[in-house]
Amino acid sequence: MTAPARPPRISPLSLPALDAIDGRLLIDRDERDREHYRDSDLTGYDLTGTSFTECDFSSVTLDDAQLRGARFSESRITDSFAPSLLAARTHWREVLIENPRWGSAELFEADLASVYVRGGKIDYLNLRASKITDLLIEDCTITDLDLGGCRGTRIELRNCRLETLDVTRAALADVDIRSTFLRTVTGLEGLRGVTIDEYQLSLFAPLFATHLGVVVD
């Protein structure tokens, strides 16, 4: 019998006392430590390669902010708003993301380790070709989740709602989606290493049959 999926290992986040900083002071390729940014509108800011360690973002707007290659470590992001989140090749380690309101979230080729996403709504979460270790997404509505070509282990989607999951050419292990409502899957061969429940199996049966060339009469 195949062993059940191992759950994500999410490190508890405990932030120290933080300095309140005006987010408008942020620049690209900077190093920021132990700072709190509240109600900052960073629309269109260039934060390429900026490193944030033990930082707290509260009600921050990140629409079209260029975050390519940015690093977030031991940090929290709460009630963020971004119709377009440009975060390719970012690094996330021990990060809590609460109630994001994101449209197109471009996190392709990112590196995630011990990341917890709780609540919120994301229209398109693009994690294509990312490396993911220990990711928990809970109580979140995601229209399209793209894990195509990603390498992921210990990932759980808990009580989420998804329209489409793309796992084309993904290499996954210990992935648990049993408590998540999901309409359809693209790239069925990428489901190897994913745990589903009986209801999901019955839902996907026509897709499996088509994929295998099985005629059901």
Side-chain angles (χ1 to χ4, degrees):
M1 178 178 293
T2 303
R6 295 175 297 169
R9 301 169 184 170
I10 304 298
S11 302
L13 183 64
S14 179
L15 292 175
L18 304 177
D19 296 325
I21 299 294
D22 187 342
R24 293 175 297 180
L25 301 176
L26 294 173
I27 59 174
D28 63 310
R29 295 179 175 82
D30 201 358
E31 295 188 5
R32 315 296 300 197
D33 302 305
R34 298 191 173 189
E35 295 179 341
H36 185 192
Y37 313 101
R38 180 186 294 275
D39 299 320
S40 296
D41 187 350
L42 303 178
T43 298
Y45 269 53
D46 185 1
L47 301 177
T48 303
T50 300
S51 176
F52 300 95
T53 302
E54 293 185 310
C55 290
D56 192 358
F57 298 79
S58 302
S59 301
V60 172
T61 298
L62 295 167
D63 188 29
D64 281 332
Q66 182 53 258
L67 294 167
R68 189 180 187 90
R71 294 177 176 269
F72 298 87
S73 301
E74 301 170 77
S75 296
R76 178 172 57 205
I77 303 174
T78 305
D79 296 325
S80 58
F81 177 70
S84 176
L85 184 69
L86 306 177
R89 298 181 179 174
T90 42
H91 296 258
W92 309 73
R93 182 177 62 83
E94 297 181 22
V95 176
L96 171 61
I97 302 172
E98 297 183 290
N99 299 314
R101 291 170 295 154
W102 298 345
S104 175
E106 299 291 346
L107 276 74
F108 58 86
E109 298 180 8
D111 191 333
L112 288 74
S114 188
V115 175
Y116 184 11
V117 180
R118 182 167 59 202
K121 184 178 186 299
I122 304 172
D123 291 336
Y124 175 48
L125 179 53
N126 182 1
L127 289 167
R128 182 169 288 270
S130 292
K131 179 183 178 183
I132 303 172
T133 306
D134 299 310
L135 169 64
L136 172 59
I137 304 178
E138 183 176 21
D139 297 326
C140 186
T141 298
I142 304 174
T143 304
D144 297 302
L145 175 57
D146 190 346
L147 298 178
C150 87
R151 293 172 293 145
T153 184
R154 293 190 300 273
I155 300 171
E156 182 178 356
L157 304 179
R158 182 184 298 169
N159 299 324
C160 295
R161 293 186 64 86
L162 270 69
E163 291 293 323
T164 301
L165 172 65
D166 189 343
V167 288
T168 304
R169 293 187 296 278
L172 304 174
D174 295 307
V175 175
D176 189 347
I177 64 171
R178 286 175 293 179
S179 62
T180 283
F181 173 81
L182 174 61
R183 287 194 183 277
T184 190
V185 175
T186 301
L188 291 175
E189 70 284 350
L191 284 176
R192 182 183 298 272
V194 177
T195 300
I196 63 176
D197 61 24
E198 291 185 359
Y199 173 74
Q200 290 167 330
L201 178 60
S202 65
L203 183 67
F204 301 154
L207 297 176
F208 292 148
T210 300
H211 178 70
L212 296 171
V214 175
V215 177
V216 180
D217 189 357

